[in-house]
Every structure is written in C-alpha cells, then in structure tokens.
Amino acid sequence: FGPLISYLIAGHHAGLADEHELFNARLKNPASALDTFLKTTEAPVLFIAESAGRRELLSDHLKRASLPPSVHEDLSGFLESDDHFGIITAPVDRSTVFEDLVILAEEQLLGTAPQSQTVQTKSGRVVDPDQIVRNLTELHVGAPVVHLDHGIGRYQGLQSLEIDGATHEFLTITYADDAKLYVPVAALHLISRYTGADEQAAPLHRLGSDQWEKAKRRAAERAVDVAAELLDIYARRELRTSRAFKTPEQEYQRFVDQFPFDLTPDQAVAIDAVVDDLKSPRATDRLICGDVGFGKTEVAMRAAFIAVQEGAQVAMLVPTTLLAQQHGETFRDRFADWPVRIEVMSRLQSDAETKAVKEGIRSGKVDIVIGTHKLLGQDFSFKDLGLVIIDEEHRFGVRQKERLKALRAEVDILTLTATPIPRTLNMAMSGIRDLSIIATPPARRLSIKTFVQEKRNHVLKEAITRELMRGGQVFYLHNEVRNIEEAARALAELVPEARIGIGHGQMPTRRLEAVMSEFYHRQLNVLVCTTIIETGIDIPNANTIIIERADKFGLAQLHQLRGRVGRSSRQAYAYLLTPNRRAMSADAVKRLEAIEASGELGIGFTLATHDMEIRGAGELLGDDQSGQIESVGFSLYMELLDRAVQALRDGRTPDPEAPLEPISQEVNLHAPALIPDDYLPDVHTRLILYKRIANAATDEALDGLMVEMIDRFGNLPDAARRLFEVTRLKLTATRLGITRIDVGDSAARFEFDEHTRVNPLQIVKLVQNAPSTYRLDGATTLRCTQSTPTFEERVEFAAGVLAKLSLAEDGASSIKAAS
C-alpha cells in the first residue's frame, strides 16, 4: 500500500481524469467490454485483492478468462517485473487507470462477500442460521445420522479409501446387521444430524429394505395434513393487519447515531428485518434469538422508538422485577434526549405509584411501560397500544400466554429470547413466526469456561479466591430459600476474606433492592442468591458463577444463569456443581454435557436444538406429530413439511410418493478430491468444512468458503482445489437433474434422474451431431468417448457437456417418456 501512495505522489497521474472516467464507464458495461479492454490495453494491469483468499479466488476467475496474473508481494515488485498482468494483496477498494498503469480492485470486479446470511463467530467459523439445526458440528462417533436415501444409521467417523488409484475421504455410517455405508464427502448434503428423540431410541434402518421408504412416505403424508393447517394459519395471519409505521428518517438517524457501540452484522440484519416488519401493514410476530449480552435490547429500543414517534404506546413484558428495573434504567438512559415518558411497573412500586402509572397509560401520557406480568392484568387499559415487546416469553405462565395470544390479534409483537423453548423454535422454523438470529458476539467478548464437577470445598475456595484476588465478584447460586443463610455461613467460614450478601425473592422488597445495589457498587463481592438473578442482571465486574445442584436446572435456565458472567472483556468461569453422576437422571447428564460442550459464543440457538432433542420437538399445532418426527428425524420432517406447504401454495396437490428434489450424488473425476489431513489435521473441523462445502447452494457460496479456508489455513493444496471443482460440477448437475457424472482418461458417463430438467430431445440432438463422441446407453445414461488424461481436461469436458445440456432445460419432459 505504501509504494502505491508514493507512486501517486510522484506525479504518475497524467491523463488520470479522462482515463478514470473512461474506465468507470467501461466498468458499468457488460463483462465482455471489460474483457476486451484488458486484452487490448498496452499498460501493465495490476489486480488488488484484500486478502490471500480473495486473491486466489480472483486469480482463478482470471485464469478461466485466459488472463492469468502473476503473484507479487507488492506494487514495487510488480513494477520491477516484465509481467503484463499481476496480482497483490492490499487494502484498496477502488480502481484507477493511469497512462502507464491500470489498477483494478477485486471488490469492484467480484463484489463484496455477502454479509446478511452468514455470521462469523470468535473462532472464525461462519455460521449460516438456516443450517444451524442441520449441521454436524456436535457429531460424535456413535451418534445417529439421517441419510436422505438410506435412512437412519450411526456415524463412525471419516475414513480414507483408495479407489482407481486415487485417495478419497468418506463418512462411514453403520446400519442394522452391521452393514456399512461409505458416503463421499462431496455428498454430505445428503446427511443431517438425527434430532427428534433420545439417541439410544433412534431407529436403525436396514440397508436395501423398503423400511426407510415407508417411514418417509408416512411422514410425508402427515406433513401434507399439517401443511394444510399451517396454510390456514398463514392465511389468517396475512389477513390480519396492524398499523404500518413510518420511519421518520432524520429523527431515527439521530437516535441511531446515539448508540455508543458498533453494531454486529447480525444485529444490523435483525434491526433491518424488524424495521421492515413495522413498516408493513401485516401484523408483526418476530422472534429475535440471541445470546445474553449480544444486543437484543438495542433491537427492541429501535423498534420502540419507531412506534413512539408515530404516537403509539409500547409495552415491554419481562419475567422478573429486577429485570424490569434494569430495562427501565437502560431505556431511560437511551431515550434521555427525547421527549418520551418511560415508566416501570413491578412489585417495587407503591400503590400510589402504580395508580399514577395506570392513569398515565390510560390517558396516553406514558409512552413506554416496562413491567412484569402485572401489565397483563384486566385493569390495565392503553390509549393506543402499538407494539408489545416480550422478553423470554417461555417464563410466563399459561394464563399470561392466553392474554398474549389475545394481544397478538391486535398489535405488533416482538419476542426476545436467548434459548427459545422447543415449541417456539419449532413454530419459528415452520414460518408461523418470523425468526432473526443474533449469533455474533460483541467485540473483545470471550467465551465462558464451564466446568461440571462434584461439589468439593477446595474447588469452591480456589474458584472464589482467584476471582476476588483479581478484584472481581462472584455469584453463588443456592436455590433453596429455607437454608440459604446456612449456605452463606459455610461460605464465610471457607473464604473469610469474602464480603458476602444474600438475595432471594422472599426478602422484603426494599432489603432486596439494597443488597443488589451494594453488590452492584462492589460493597459486596460474593452474592449468595437464588434464580432471581437469572434474567437481566448486568454486572460486568462479576465474572465467576457457581451453581449448586446444576442437575436440577433446565438447559435454557443454565445457559441464562451462565450468561450473568462474561459480560466484559475478562475471562469468565462457570462452575456447575452436581451430586455423584449415578444420582442424576439421564436427561440431567445430557443437559450438563451439552452446556459444558457449548463453550462457543453465540451457542444459545444450538443449545435450543439440544433441548429439542432432549425434551422432544413439541407439538406444532396441538396434534401429535412426535411419531413422524422420531421416525425420520426433525430436519427431514421439516423439509417434507416445507415441500408440502410450497406445493399447496402453488396450487398443486402434494404427492407423498414423489421424491425430494433430484440430487447429484456422485461426481467422479478419478483424482483425489479431499481436504488432506496434513493441511487440516483436526478431523472435527474437516468434517464441518466438508459439510459446508457439500451444502453450498451457489457458486458464490463456494467462493466464500474457498476464501475463508485460504485465509484461515493457507493456500489450498491441489486435492482441496479439486474438491471445490467437483462440487461446482455437482451444483450444475443437481440443477439439471443429473445423478452421476463419471469422467476418466478416455470415457465418460452421465446418468439422468427420471425427472431431469434437461429436454430429452437435446440429448438425442447431441448424439446425432457427434455420434463418435456421444451415445445413449439405456433410458437414462449418456456415454462419451474422449481423451482427457488430466484432471483439468476432465473438468473442462464435464463442464462443456453440462453447458450444452443447460441450453435446453425443460422441466416438463420425462426422460423415460422420451425413451
């Protein structure tokens, strides 16, 4: 970058304005014009990429366009060489043309990588929210998995096998009678984790039998029935209207600019979705799922601002008194410069205060009210309620939920949660409720180190002492009020230097408020408490939490409690104390294993899917679906349901007998196509990347993965590059309905699905025009004779054949009918 600045300062800019305008005009023209410009210009051309991964991606594109660039360290190195095309990495995002040098920024050529669908975790792993449930990130040997064509088996790890002299990597699955299935890594899109029942209770299918097809057919039939009910709900929801809020641009921008932090990519996407919802006349019912401290409240405050600016009232429902107080302070601080009246309703308010707030709500003088379930009382009436924000809906009881359902018919609803309960998650994933996921942690946030172990005094003493010595504070959770004081005394004897306070829900209101204030202002450094701290307590200096009898808590509750610490840039610790393993239930052990394994930031959504496995997926519409979900797994059931819904929407009758979309299962170019273990030794990471590559739905998604791998692990070895090339062919073949491609030294074979989108007459035409190269073999196979000794030639030949077949796509024809 430095030499480029020097180059500009040195005055090498003659004719810059004219040339720059000319170049910009050409850049807006079709790619062919730019291609002509590059091939005719006499000036050397330097391409600039922002990272090594983007550099490799651009190089590949240029090689395909017959413009291969040479790689250089910097601008000086390129200028000193005789190369006509060169490429370097530098933070330059605009192109410029000089008389004696053309500089092209890859961002203008390839565009920026899409941010909206993927989010990056602290470890660098990019997560697609749509794939969180389906991915294999929590897979271990022996875990049940679902193969789309063969059913449920047990995962046995990755295995390398040599076929035709080339090494390939396969995922091994065992079925009934110890039968083994080897799935090529390029076909991992056919595999999903089995969710829907206990791992031990997962069925094991027999390879070659019709057992799996029957289970799929039964589940598909049930999915059709559920789809009809779902569409009825969709229709009612579409007919329901609510106020279409306008966004006062200038005022809203001022409010946004007052936010003191940078938005994470997920936060930005969630905010855009909520704003779009509020602008729409359709009733809003959106679920914002994000870990504790990941910025859900800011999303809610921006929504509240839009509603209040339109003259509507906002009610925020929270499950606890302490959380109501904290949200009240947060909202007042954020709206300090705006003429907005904010009130809090909880048991801490006196009768006179409560009466005044009720009158303010009735008259419309109160703009935003934050409160516990008291807000749902029949004696509360709003002058013009426009938006209801619900924090942790699952913490409200049945009666409150019935009142919330009544509200849903009248106002816009925004729900915030860290770990949605299975039914809520299920409804969101079915499209009954809109879903936004915030999985990106704030800057400098560290994951919480979690330890599950039996209660021992020396462990307690060490954990508390270490936190106090670094000036921090400790939550000690003892969830039995009857002997909480005894627990505090025992702790005082164990750690005499600790300043200990006690907090629980049965204390007098003012005393509890005083204790929490003393802990907040660091007059106390250990708080012995109940689950009253579960939601909303934000004390950045408290970075160790010790939970007694952790086996008695649910998964969502443990995740929430753990989220009370680690809210700053310090390393935080969570100790989950349990009795002997034999004294715990199997479900409790599973919950603790799940919470201990999920140290990654932003894992709340994945934990909710664990909860779905442990507790069941929940009945979506009140009818019992669990049998179908257990027989085929949650992911596949949802896929069948989506397909049935789409068919009904398109006016077609869903056919339970019809297969899922035709999928290319094998592309064999007789060369190793894998991620070598000397490039990426960790089997777990390799498996995740294989799955993500196989799941990529577009060339752009593959490009993004290639860039990510190069930036994380270095330049791709040849075998890994081949894997990407093979997957690109698979994408085209899948779209055309081609199930198998096999290209060797002197012969090739293309097998078509009976529902292929290629017009059979085009295949016949291909054979007639070049009978020495192409011939039909049976009803569904095209054989080719050609000389392709190298992998590159095989890729080029296969891509050429697919391009010819793509010219005449026609989904209406069946290849069997034509034959």
Side-chain angles (χ1 to χ4, degrees), residues 3 171 216 327 385 552 708 776 808:
L171 185 125
K216 261 201 307 190
H327 273 320
L385 182 62
K552 289 187 173 182
E708 182 194 335
L776 272 171

Side-chain angles (χ1 to χ4, degrees), residues 184-418:
V185 288
L188 279 191
H189 56 291
L190 299 175
I191 306 294
S192 60
R193 279 179 59 229
Y194 173 82
T195 57
D198 186 8
E199 284 191 5
Q200 279 69 39
L204 209 58
H205 291 114
R206 184 171 283 104
L207 283 181
S209 72
D210 61 353
Q211 181 186 7
W212 173 240
E213 288 303 321
K214 284 179 179 175
K216 261 201 307 190
R217 189 165 57 251
R218 280 195 302 270
E221 287 167 355
R222 176 61 185 142
V224 171
D225 297 339
V226 175
E229 295 175 63
L230 270 180
L231 280 181
D232 185 44
I233 291 173
Y234 282 136
R236 287 204 299 269
R237 185 181 168 197
E238 293 294 332
L239 288 171
R240 261 196 4 245
T241 57
S242 66
R243 183 182 321 195
F245 290 103
K246 297 183 181 70
T247 309
E249 296 299 334
Q250 289 184 335
E251 290 90 343
Y252 180 69
Q253 193 54 50
R254 271 178 55 212
F255 184 76
V256 166
D257 292 341
Q258 289 170 346
F259 185 54
F261 306 103
D262 292 331
L263 290 179
T264 63
D266 294 12
Q267 254 185 314
V269 172
I271 287 167
D272 289 345
V274 170
V275 170
D276 288 344
D277 286 349
L278 293 175
K279 285 180 179 177
S280 163
R282 194 188 73 161
T284 300
D285 190 2
R286 181 169 290 275
L287 175 69
I288 306 285
C289 180
D291 264 11
V292 274
F294 274 36
K296 299 188 295 294
T297 308
E298 175 62 19
V299 179
M301 287 192 287
R302 293 195 187 187
F305 180 84
I306 290 170
V308 168
Q309 288 299 105
E310 280 276 286
Q313 291 173 297
V314 178
M316 185 172 192
L317 285 164
V318 296
T320 66
T321 299
L322 292 175
L323 185 53
Q325 295 298 117
Q326 185 157 321
H327 273 320
E329 290 173 17
T330 306
F331 269 69
R332 283 177 182 137
D333 183 52
R334 187 76 172 85
F335 284 84
D337 297 338
W338 298 88
V340 175
R341 184 178 167 189
I342 299 167
E343 295 290 353
V344 175
M345 282 292 302
S346 70
R347 66 187 180 92
L348 294 181
Q349 273 69 43
S350 66
D351 289 345
E353 288 170 329
T354 301
K355 186 178 178 183
V357 172
K358 283 182 180 178
E359 182 53 40
I361 291 170
R362 192 177 298 112
S363 63
K365 291 178 181 175
V366 172
D367 300 298
I368 300 173
V369 60
I370 300 163
T372 56
H373 60 276
K374 283 182 76 171
L375 279 181
L376 296 172
Q378 296 295 336
D379 54 340
F380 271 87
S381 62
F382 290 81
K383 182 182 180 184
D384 184 12
L385 182 62
L387 173 67
V388 173
I389 301 165
I390 305 165
D391 202 358
E392 302 297 344
E393 181 184 23
H394 65 270
R395 297 289 306 280
F396 294 96
V398 174
R399 284 184 184 173
Q400 286 93 20
K401 284 186 180 176
E402 289 304 314
R403 178 88 170 115
L404 292 180
K405 281 180 187 174
L407 282 176
R408 272 205 172 84
E410 303 159 14
V411 298
D412 287 330
I413 301 273
L414 189 62
T415 305
L416 316 176
T417 182

Side-chain angles (χ1 to χ4, degrees), residues 591-652:
R591 284 197 298 270
L592 292 167
E593 284 174 351
I595 197 90
E596 187 175 29
S598 60
E600 182 92 32
L601 286 165
I603 209 75
F605 189 86
T606 310
L607 274 178
T609 68
H610 273 301
D611 211 14
M612 203 152 56
E613 293 172 60
I614 295 165
R615 293 165 53 185
E619 294 168 15
L620 191 62
L621 300 170
D623 294 327
D624 186 11
Q625 292 170 229
S626 58
Q628 279 72 31
I629 290 177
E630 286 180 15
S631 66
V632 298
F634 183 76
S635 295
L636 181 57
Y637 182 80
M638 294 310 293
E639 203 167 322
L640 293 168
L641 183 59
D642 288 345
R643 190 180 59 156
V645 166
Q646 195 56 53
L648 288 171
R649 275 183 168 163
D650 295 344
R652 295 180 284 115

Side-chain angles (χ1 to χ4, degrees), residues 474-476 484-485 487-489 491-492 498-504 507 511 514-516 518-519 523-530:
V474 179
F475 287 114
Y476 187 92
I484 194 168
E485 291 187 5
R489 278 195 298 274
L491 215 56
R499 301 189 301 277
I500 298 174
I502 298 173
H504 58 80
M507 293 171 68
R511 177 64 195 133
V515 168
M516 297 311 299
E518 287 169 11
F519 190 64
Q523 293 163 333
L524 301 172
N525 54 19
V526 176
L527 181 68
V528 180
C529 54
T530 60

